Amino acid sequence: MKVRSITIPELHHFKDLHLDLTYPAGHPKAGKALDKVCIIGQSGTGKTTLLKLISAISYNGYSYSEIGSMDQICQVSLDFEFEDFIVSKFIDFDDESDPEKKIVSSYWNDFYRNGEEIEFESIESKWEAYLDAIKPTSIFFPADLDYKLEVEHDSLLDLQELKNIDFSSYSAANTWTIILNEIQKYQEEEIKIRQEISHIAEKATDIKAIQKAVKKLEKWRHETPSPVQGIADKCLDPLLKNFGLRVKTKLDFQGKDDIGFLKIEDFSGNEVPNGLLSTGTKQVMLSALPLYLLQPSKCQILYDEPERSLYPDLQRTIIDYYQSLTTDCQFFFSTHSPIIASSFEPWEIVELKFDKNWNIYRDLYYEGENHVENYFVDPRYLDYDLILKKIFDLADTSTDMRTEAIVELTMLKNQIDTLKEKGQLKTPKAKEIVTRYKVLAQKLAWKTE
Amino acid sequence: MRKIDKSLMLATRYKKWLDTLNEKNEKHTIYNSSNGKYYYDIVANLIWVQAGLCAYSERLLQEHSRFDPGNWTNGGFPRFQFSGQLDHYDATLKEQYGWSWDNFFVIDADINVKLKRTNIPTGLLKPDMPHYNPRVYLEYERTHHVFVPNRDLEFPVQEQVRKDISCLGINFQPIIDIRKYYLEPLFFDVEYQVRSRTQVQNHLYQFFTAFDLVADRL
């Protein structure tokens, strides 16, 4: 189920805001909901509020109170598409329940199929079956993700049982429960085969019997990779290698309670204590691992400031990477990073701005009809300097010193050319100018053209 | 930077007040920006003689036709909305001669750079001086869209011009981007004969000097 549009009549700085979140005409997916959305804007323009609204109205109604009063939130509606249906949804207090308890319910405005309005009853069963089949339906990663890696086995949540996963309410390390049992079973199986080998070795006089038992262990290992090996190969090692680290795949615990959380080691095999892992490493682990282990499909995934603590090289790859861990999910990212924004098509960017009355509006990147041909800004064609200027509206990206150096360098080059024409390049004056030119050009990284 | 003729005095109330001060050799009253009695008269007069352009960068600031001499009353002009700034060419004169006509230009707020507060320009690039001719002092470097000293000048003069370019802020980054975005399509048209130079010039409304200096070489 993907969000096609959001309509906010009035909420904080939002007034009569309508966000179209579908691909424009001329796009291969024209008219379909966007696969990923990048929300950018000055601090205070409501990026995080928008993420929370989407989460609350989609599936997570009980969390509305973080956003505002129900009087305002009940006016906000989201259009969704699932299969070939389009539905409009809002949340409000259940008017049949006890007013004191204030139970939040979902309400449906309109249903469409192939552009024709239809009755809810005609698709109710399909709708319920659809929702039942999806678990989780939404995953929210807040900007202030809990970086705690220590897990207490008694209080771990079973995230696979939750419809809505909100990591602002509990640690992403809870994802570890998903693999805990698998690791224990794996370890028990290995111990069992090892015991068999020991047993044979005690009794057997035939070396071939021992070799056969050892081969059995090797075959089992080959055919049954460690659950941690999968995390290492398919999820975390491609990212951790940027920090000179990898997942420790060798399991050396005695019982379930001894498993703890994922262990990280350097390339020499030295285990790195959790307390010494950088925030960037933890950010990578705790933002990617849940997607790998939960294997979300047709789910909404919301990241607030995914760039946190990540060096630019990782920021450049992280969006595609998150998508690669999921199936047919819709992603929402709120970011201040031009590097993150460069991963998006222009229609996938929602830039929020204040108008002169301090109300929020969306800065459109097209003129006339919403058609791919009418977009005049496309981050995929811009370098980071231009993304800062054209997307993030930064007027001045180069320093004044650089510009002045360019002027000086051009002047010096002209002087050298003049001296060359006059055959005076060997004079002390020429040498002085050439030296000055080279020193300055080096400071400009020879980016002089 | 185009040459500017400031001899047409429309703000005659201000001129009379200034002449009286000068005759008596009195210090000017403290320059207090738009609170000054003749501030809008001065700005309106300058916008007219500068044809609505920033005196240094030549960015279009304001449509200047409303400041036509026929729209003035008794040597004054009523208050109006104004987005640029009234600049003191030599900032060091601000304290004692803050209302001197010769020292005033209307400029883009974006180029009123900090450097100008401490550096005194040499006067070589003062756009109303009789000697001033942009072709003599400036070249336009199209790759970076910056003004640079004319290579035909003596090397020490080039250094002076370079410092004045910096001091006046005509290569200030936001202006460079605006200038580039405006001029490049026009250069393309002239270079590849989409339109003639004259056709483009007929529609040009800002950055005249940069256009001329590059168009000469296209």
Coordinates of all heavy atoms in Angstrom, one line a residue, chain A residues 174-241:
Chain A
N174 N 16.3 -4.5 19.1 CA 15.3 -5.6 19.3 C 15.1 -6.5 18.1 O 14.6 -7.6 18.2 CB 13.9 -5.0 19.6 CG 13.8 -4.5 21.0 OD1 13.6 -5.4 21.9 ND2 13.9 -3.2 21.3
T175 N 15.6 -6.0 16.9 CA 15.5 -6.8 15.7 C 16.3 -8.1 15.9 O 16.1 -9.1 15.2 CB 16.2 -6.0 14.6 OG1 15.8 -4.7 14.6 CG2 15.8 -6.6 13.2
W176 N 17.2 -8.1 16.8 CA 18.1 -9.2 17.1 C 17.2 -10.5 17.5 O 17.7 -11.6 17.3 CB 19.0 -8.9 18.2 CG 20.2 -9.8 18.4 CD1 20.5 -10.4 19.6 CD2 21.1 -10.2 17.4 NE1 21.6 -11.2 19.4 CE2 22.0 -11.1 18.0 CE3 21.3 -9.9 16.1 CZ2 23.1 -11.7 17.4 CZ3 22.4 -10.5 15.4 CH2 23.2 -11.4 16.1
T177 N 16.0 -10.3 18.1 CA 15.2 -11.4 18.5 C 14.9 -12.3 17.3 O 14.7 -13.5 17.4 CB 13.9 -11.0 19.0 OG1 13.3 -10.0 18.1 CG2 14.0 -10.3 20.4
I178 N 14.8 -11.7 16.1 CA 14.4 -12.5 14.9 C 15.4 -13.6 14.7 O 15.1 -14.7 14.3 CB 14.3 -11.5 13.7 CG1 13.2 -10.5 14.0 CG2 14.1 -12.3 12.4 CD1 13.2 -9.3 13.0
I179 N 16.7 -13.3 15.0 CA 17.7 -14.3 14.6 C 18.2 -15.1 15.8 O 18.9 -16.1 15.6 CB 18.8 -13.5 13.9 CG1 19.6 -14.5 13.0 CG2 19.7 -12.8 14.9 CD1 20.4 -13.8 11.9
L180 N 17.8 -14.6 17.0 CA 18.3 -15.3 18.2 C 18.0 -16.8 18.2 O 18.9 -17.6 18.4 CB 17.5 -14.6 19.4 CG 18.3 -14.5 20.7 CD1 19.6 -13.8 20.5 CD2 17.4 -13.8 21.7
N181 N 16.8 -17.2 17.9 CA 16.5 -18.6 17.9 C 17.2 -19.4 16.8 O 17.7 -20.5 17.0 CB 15.0 -18.8 17.7 CG 14.2 -18.4 19.0 OD1 14.8 -18.5 20.1 ND2 13.0 -18.0 18.9
E182 N 17.4 -18.7 15.7 CA 18.1 -19.4 14.5 C 19.5 -19.6 14.9 O 20.1 -20.7 14.6 CB 18.1 -18.4 13.3 CG 16.8 -18.6 12.4 CD 17.0 -17.7 11.2 OE1 17.9 -18.0 10.4 OE2 16.2 -16.8 11.0
I183 N 20.1 -18.6 15.6 CA 21.5 -18.8 16.0 C 21.6 -19.9 17.0 O 22.5 -20.8 16.9 CB 22.1 -17.5 16.6 CG1 22.1 -16.4 15.5 CG2 23.4 -17.7 17.2 CD1 22.6 -15.1 16.0
Q184 N 20.7 -20.0 17.9 CA 20.8 -21.0 19.0 C 20.6 -22.4 18.3 O 21.4 -23.3 18.6 CB 19.7 -20.8 20.0 CG 19.9 -21.7 21.2 CD 18.8 -21.6 22.2 OE1 17.7 -21.1 21.9 NE2 19.1 -21.9 23.5
K185 N 19.6 -22.5 17.4 CA 19.4 -23.8 16.7 C 20.7 -24.2 16.0 O 21.1 -25.4 16.0 CB 18.2 -23.7 15.8 CG 16.9 -24.0 16.4 CD 15.8 -23.9 15.3 CE 14.5 -23.5 15.9 NZ 13.6 -23.0 14.9
Y186 N 21.3 -23.2 15.3 CA 22.5 -23.5 14.5 C 23.6 -24.0 15.4 O 24.3 -25.0 15.1 CB 22.9 -22.2 13.8 CG 24.1 -22.4 12.9 CD1 24.0 -22.8 11.6 CD2 25.4 -22.1 13.4 CE1 25.1 -22.9 10.8 CE2 26.5 -22.3 12.6 CZ 26.4 -22.7 11.3 OH 27.5 -22.8 10.5
Q187 N 23.7 -23.3 16.5 CA 24.8 -23.7 17.4 C 24.6 -25.1 18.0 O 25.5 -25.9 18.1 CB 24.9 -22.6 18.5 CG 26.0 -22.9 19.5 CD 27.4 -22.7 18.9 OE1 27.5 -22.5 17.7 NE2 28.4 -22.6 19.8
E188 N 23.3 -25.4 18.4 CA 23.0 -26.7 18.9 C 23.3 -27.8 17.9 O 23.8 -28.8 18.3 CB 21.5 -26.7 19.4 CG 21.3 -25.9 20.7 CD 19.8 -25.7 20.9 OE1 18.9 -26.2 20.1 OE2 19.5 -25.1 22.0
E189 N 22.9 -27.5 16.7 CA 23.2 -28.5 15.6 C 24.7 -28.8 15.5 O 25.1 -29.9 15.3 CB 22.6 -28.0 14.3 CG 22.6 -29.0 13.2 CD 21.8 -30.2 13.4 OE1 20.8 -30.2 14.2 OE2 22.1 -31.3 12.8
E190 N 25.4 -27.7 15.5 CA 26.9 -27.8 15.4 C 27.5 -28.6 16.5 O 28.3 -29.5 16.3 CB 27.6 -26.5 15.3 CG 29.1 -26.6 15.0 CD 29.8 -25.3 14.7 OE1 29.1 -24.4 14.1 OE2 31.0 -25.2 14.9
I191 N 27.0 -28.3 17.7 CA 27.5 -29.0 18.9 C 27.2 -30.5 18.8 O 28.0 -31.4 19.1 CB 26.9 -28.4 20.2 CG1 27.5 -27.0 20.4 CG2 27.1 -29.3 21.4 CD1 26.8 -26.2 21.5
K192 N 26.0 -30.8 18.3 CA 25.5 -32.2 18.1 C 26.5 -32.9 17.2 O 26.9 -34.0 17.5 CB 24.1 -32.2 17.6 CG 23.4 -33.5 17.7 CD 21.9 -33.3 17.3 CE 21.5 -34.5 16.5 NZ 20.2 -34.2 15.8
I193 N 26.8 -32.3 16.1 CA 27.7 -33.0 15.1 C 29.1 -33.2 15.7 O 29.7 -34.2 15.5 CB 27.7 -32.2 13.7 CG1 26.3 -32.2 13.1 CG2 28.7 -32.9 12.8 CD1 26.2 -31.3 11.9
R194 N 29.5 -32.2 16.4 CA 30.8 -32.2 17.0 C 30.9 -33.4 18.1 O 31.9 -34.1 18.2 CB 31.2 -30.9 17.7 CG 31.6 -29.8 16.8 CD 32.0 -28.5 17.6 NE 32.4 -27.5 16.7 CZ 33.6 -27.4 16.1 NH1 34.5 -28.4 16.4 NH2 34.0 -26.5 15.3
Q195 N 29.8 -33.5 18.8 CA 29.7 -34.6 19.8 C 29.8 -35.9 19.1 O 30.5 -36.9 19.6 CB 28.5 -34.5 20.6 CG 28.6 -33.4 21.7 CD 27.2 -33.1 22.4 OE1 26.2 -33.5 21.9 NE2 27.3 -32.5 23.5
E196 N 29.1 -36.0 17.9 CA 29.2 -37.3 17.2 C 30.6 -37.6 16.8 O 31.1 -38.8 16.9 CB 28.4 -37.2 15.9 CG 26.9 -37.4 16.1 CD 26.1 -37.2 14.7 OE1 26.7 -37.4 13.7 OE2 25.0 -36.7 14.8
I197 N 31.4 -36.6 16.4 CA 32.8 -36.8 16.0 C 33.6 -37.3 17.2 O 34.4 -38.2 17.1 CB 33.4 -35.5 15.4 CG1 32.7 -35.1 14.1 CG2 34.9 -35.6 15.1 CD1 33.0 -33.7 13.6
S198 N 33.4 -36.6 18.3 CA 34.1 -37.0 19.5 C 33.8 -38.5 19.9 O 34.7 -39.2 20.3 CB 33.7 -36.1 20.7 OG 33.9 -34.8 20.4
H199 N 32.5 -38.8 19.8 CA 32.0 -40.1 20.1 C 32.7 -41.2 19.2 O 33.3 -42.2 19.7 CB 30.5 -40.2 20.0 CG 29.9 -41.4 20.5 ND1 29.9 -41.7 21.9 CD2 29.3 -42.5 19.9 CE1 29.3 -42.9 22.0 NE2 28.9 -43.4 20.9
I200 N 32.8 -40.9 17.9 CA 33.4 -41.8 17.0 C 34.9 -41.9 17.3 O 35.5 -43.0 17.3 CB 33.2 -41.4 15.5 CG1 31.7 -41.5 15.2 CG2 34.0 -42.1 14.5 CD1 31.3 -40.8 13.9
A201 N 35.5 -40.8 17.6 CA 36.9 -40.7 17.8 C 37.3 -41.5 19.0 O 38.4 -42.2 19.1 CB 37.4 -39.3 17.9
E202 N 36.4 -41.5 20.1 CA 36.7 -42.3 21.3 C 36.7 -43.8 21.0 O 37.6 -44.5 21.5 CB 35.6 -42.0 22.3 CG 35.9 -40.7 23.1 CD 34.7 -40.3 24.0 OE1 33.9 -41.2 24.3 OE2 34.6 -39.1 24.3
K203 N 35.8 -44.2 20.2 CA 35.6 -45.7 20.0 C 36.3 -46.2 18.7 O 36.8 -47.3 18.7 CB 34.1 -46.0 19.8 CG 33.3 -45.7 21.1 CD 31.9 -46.1 20.9 CE 31.1 -45.9 22.3 NZ 29.7 -46.2 22.1
A204 N 36.4 -45.4 17.7 CA 36.9 -45.9 16.4 C 38.4 -46.1 16.4 O 39.1 -45.3 17.0 CB 36.5 -45.0 15.3
T205 N 38.7 -47.2 15.9 CA 40.1 -47.5 15.6 C 40.5 -47.1 14.2 O 41.6 -47.0 13.8 CB 40.5 -48.9 15.9 OG1 39.5 -49.7 15.2 CG2 40.4 -49.2 17.4
D206 N 39.4 -47.0 13.4 CA 39.5 -46.7 12.0 C 39.6 -45.2 11.7 O 38.6 -44.5 12.0 CB 38.3 -47.4 11.2 CG 38.5 -47.2 9.7 OD1 39.5 -46.6 9.3 OD2 37.5 -47.6 9.0
I207 N 40.7 -44.8 11.2 CA 40.8 -43.3 10.9 C 39.8 -42.8 9.9 O 39.4 -41.7 9.9 CB 42.3 -43.0 10.5 CG1 42.5 -41.5 10.5 CG2 42.6 -43.6 9.1 CD1 42.7 -41.0 11.8
K208 N 39.4 -43.8 9.0 CA 38.5 -43.4 7.9 C 37.1 -43.0 8.5 O 36.4 -42.1 8.0 CB 38.3 -44.5 6.9 CG 39.4 -44.6 5.9 CD 39.2 -45.6 4.9 CE 40.4 -45.7 3.9 NZ 40.3 -46.8 2.9
A209 N 36.7 -43.7 9.6 CA 35.4 -43.3 10.2 C 35.5 -41.9 10.8 O 34.5 -41.2 10.7 CB 35.1 -44.4 11.3
I210 N 36.6 -41.6 11.4 CA 36.8 -40.2 11.9 C 36.7 -39.2 10.8 O 36.0 -38.2 10.9 CB 38.1 -40.1 12.7 CG1 38.1 -41.1 13.9 CG2 38.3 -38.7 13.2 CD1 39.4 -41.2 14.6
Q211 N 37.5 -39.5 9.7 CA 37.5 -38.5 8.6 C 36.1 -38.4 8.0 O 35.7 -37.3 7.6 CB 38.4 -39.1 7.5 CG 39.9 -38.8 7.8 CD 40.8 -39.5 6.8 OE1 40.4 -40.4 6.1 NE2 42.0 -39.0 6.8
K212 N 35.3 -39.4 8.0 CA 33.9 -39.4 7.4 C 33.1 -38.4 8.3 O 32.3 -37.6 7.8 CB 33.4 -40.8 7.4 CG 32.1 -40.9 6.6 CD 31.6 -42.4 6.6 CE 30.2 -42.4 6.0 NZ 29.6 -43.7 6.3
A213 N 33.3 -38.6 9.6 CA 32.5 -37.7 10.5 C 32.9 -36.3 10.4 O 32.0 -35.4 10.4 CB 32.7 -38.2 12.0
V214 N 34.1 -36.0 10.2 CA 34.6 -34.6 10.0 C 34.0 -34.1 8.7 O 33.6 -32.9 8.7 CB 36.1 -34.5 10.1 CG1 36.6 -33.1 9.7 CG2 36.7 -34.9 11.5
K215 N 34.0 -34.9 7.7 CA 33.5 -34.5 6.4 C 32.0 -34.1 6.5 O 31.5 -33.2 5.9 CB 33.7 -35.6 5.4 CG 35.0 -35.4 4.6 CD 35.0 -36.3 3.4 CE 36.4 -36.1 2.7 NZ 36.6 -37.1 1.7
K216 N 31.3 -34.9 7.4 CA 29.9 -34.6 7.6 C 29.7 -33.2 8.2 O 28.8 -32.4 7.8 CB 29.3 -35.6 8.6 CG 27.8 -35.5 8.7 CD 27.3 -36.5 9.8 CE 25.8 -36.2 10.1 NZ 25.4 -37.0 11.2
L217 N 30.6 -32.8 9.1 CA 30.5 -31.5 9.7 C 30.8 -30.4 8.6 O 30.1 -29.4 8.5 CB 31.6 -31.4 10.8 CG 31.6 -30.0 11.5 CD1 30.3 -29.6 12.2 CD2 32.8 -29.9 12.5
E218 N 31.8 -30.7 7.8 CA 32.1 -29.7 6.8 C 31.0 -29.6 5.8 O 30.6 -28.5 5.3 CB 33.4 -30.2 6.0 CG 34.7 -29.9 6.8 CD 35.9 -30.6 6.2 OE1 35.7 -31.2 5.1 OE2 37.0 -30.5 6.8
K219 N 30.4 -30.7 5.4 CA 29.2 -30.7 4.5 C 28.1 -29.9 5.1 O 27.4 -29.1 4.4 CB 28.8 -32.1 4.2 CG 27.7 -32.3 3.1 CD 27.6 -33.7 2.7 CE 26.5 -33.9 1.6 NZ 25.2 -34.2 2.1
W220 N 27.8 -30.2 6.4 CA 26.7 -29.5 7.0 C 27.0 -27.9 7.0 O 26.1 -27.2 6.8 CB 26.6 -30.0 8.5 CG 25.6 -29.2 9.3 CD1 24.2 -29.4 9.3 CD2 25.9 -28.1 10.2 NE1 23.6 -28.5 10.1 CE2 24.6 -27.7 10.7 CE3 27.0 -27.5 10.6 CZ2 24.5 -26.7 11.6 CZ3 26.9 -26.5 11.5 CH2 25.7 -26.1 12.0
R221 N 28.2 -27.6 7.3 CA 28.6 -26.2 7.4 C 28.4 -25.5 6.0 O 27.9 -24.4 5.9 CB 30.0 -26.0 7.8 CG 30.2 -25.9 9.3 CD 31.7 -25.6 9.6 NE 31.9 -25.5 11.0 CZ 33.1 -25.7 11.6 NH1 34.1 -26.0 10.8 NH2 33.2 -25.6 12.9
H222 N 28.8 -26.3 5.0 CA 28.7 -25.8 3.6 C 27.2 -25.6 3.2 O 26.8 -24.6 2.6 CB 29.4 -26.8 2.7 CG 29.3 -26.3 1.2 ND1 30.0 -25.2 0.8 CD2 28.6 -26.7 0.2 CE1 29.8 -25.0 -0.5 NE2 28.9 -25.9 -0.9
E223 N 26.4 -26.6 3.6 CA 25.0 -26.5 3.2 C 24.2 -25.7 4.1 O 23.0 -25.2 3.8 CB 24.4 -27.9 3.2 CG 25.0 -28.8 2.0 CD 24.6 -30.2 2.1 OE1 24.0 -30.6 3.1 OE2 24.9 -31.0 1.2
T224 N 24.7 -25.4 5.4 CA 23.9 -24.7 6.3 C 24.7 -23.5 6.8 O 25.3 -23.6 7.9 CB 23.5 -25.6 7.6 OG1 23.2 -26.9 7.1 CG2 22.4 -25.0 8.4
P225 N 24.7 -22.4 6.1 CA 25.5 -21.3 6.5 C 25.0 -20.7 7.8 O 23.8 -20.7 8.1 CB 25.4 -20.3 5.4 CG 24.2 -20.7 4.6 CD 24.0 -22.2 4.8
S226 N 25.9 -20.2 8.6 CA 25.5 -19.6 9.9 C 24.6 -18.4 9.6 O 24.8 -17.7 8.7 CB 26.8 -19.1 10.6 OG 26.5 -18.0 11.4
P227 N 23.6 -18.2 10.4 CA 22.7 -17.1 10.3 C 23.5 -15.8 10.3 O 23.1 -14.8 9.6 CB 21.7 -17.2 11.5 CG 21.8 -18.5 12.0 CD 23.2 -19.1 11.6
V228 N 24.5 -15.8 11.1 CA 25.3 -14.5 11.2 C 26.1 -14.3 9.9 O 26.4 -13.2 9.5 CB 26.3 -14.6 12.4 CG1 27.2 -13.4 12.4 CG2 25.5 -14.7 13.7
Q229 N 26.4 -15.5 9.2 CA 27.2 -15.3 7.9 C 26.3 -14.6 6.9 O 26.8 -13.8 6.1 CB 27.5 -16.7 7.4 CG 28.5 -16.7 6.2 CD 29.9 -16.3 6.7 OE1 30.4 -16.8 7.6 NE2 30.4 -15.3 6.0
G230 N 25.0 -14.9 6.9 CA 24.1 -14.2 6.0 C 24.1 -12.7 6.3 O 24.1 -11.8 5.4
I231 N 24.0 -12.3 7.6 CA 24.0 -10.9 7.9 C 25.3 -10.3 7.5 O 25.3 -9.1 6.9 CB 23.9 -10.8 9.5 CG1 22.5 -11.2 10.0 CG2 24.2 -9.3 9.9 CD1 22.4 -11.2 11.5
A232 N 26.4 -11.0 7.6 CA 27.7 -10.5 7.2 C 27.8 -10.3 5.7 O 28.1 -9.2 5.2 CB 28.8 -11.4 7.7
D233 N 27.5 -11.3 5.0 CA 27.7 -11.2 3.5 C 26.6 -10.4 2.8 O 27.0 -9.6 1.9 CB 27.6 -12.7 2.9 CG 28.7 -13.5 3.4 OD1 29.7 -13.0 3.9 OD2 28.6 -14.8 3.3
K234 N 25.4 -10.5 3.2 CA 24.3 -9.9 2.5 C 23.9 -8.5 3.0 O 23.1 -7.8 2.4 CB 23.1 -10.8 2.4 CG 23.4 -12.1 1.6 CD 22.2 -13.0 1.6 CE 22.6 -14.3 1.0 NZ 21.6 -15.4 1.4
C235 N 24.2 -8.3 4.3 CA 23.7 -7.0 4.9 C 24.8 -6.1 5.3 O 25.0 -5.0 4.7 CB 22.8 -7.4 6.0 SG 22.1 -5.9 6.9
L236 N 25.6 -6.5 6.3 CA 26.4 -5.4 6.9 C 27.9 -5.3 6.4 O 28.4 -4.2 6.4 CB 26.5 -5.7 8.5 CG 25.2 -5.4 9.2 CD1 25.3 -5.7 10.7 CD2 24.7 -4.0 9.0
D237 N 28.5 -6.4 6.0 CA 29.9 -6.3 5.6 C 30.2 -5.3 4.5 O 31.2 -4.6 4.5 CB 30.5 -7.7 5.3 CG 30.9 -8.4 6.6 OD1 30.7 -7.8 7.7 OD2 31.4 -9.5 6.5
P238 N 29.3 -5.3 3.5 CA 29.5 -4.3 2.4 C 29.6 -2.8 2.9 O 30.2 -2.0 2.3 CB 28.3 -4.5 1.5 CG 27.8 -5.9 1.7 CD 28.1 -6.1 3.2
L239 N 28.9 -2.6 4.0 CA 28.9 -1.2 4.6 C 30.1 -1.1 5.6 O 30.8 -0.1 5.6 CB 27.6 -0.9 5.3 CG 26.4 -0.9 4.4 CD1 25.1 -0.7 5.3 CD2 26.4 0.2 3.4
L240 N 30.2 -2.1 6.4 CA 31.2 -2.0 7.5 C 32.6 -2.0 7.0 O 33.5 -1.4 7.6 CB 31.1 -3.2 8.5 CG 29.8 -3.3 9.3 CD1 29.8 -4.6 10.1 CD2 29.8 -2.1 10.3
K241 N 32.8 -2.5 5.8 CA 34.2 -2.4 5.2 C 34.7 -1.0 5.1 O 35.9 -0.8 5.1 CB 34.3 -3.2 3.9 CG 33.6 -2.4 2.7 CD 33.7 -3.2 1.4 CE 33.1 -2.4 0.3 NZ 32.9 -3.1 -0.9

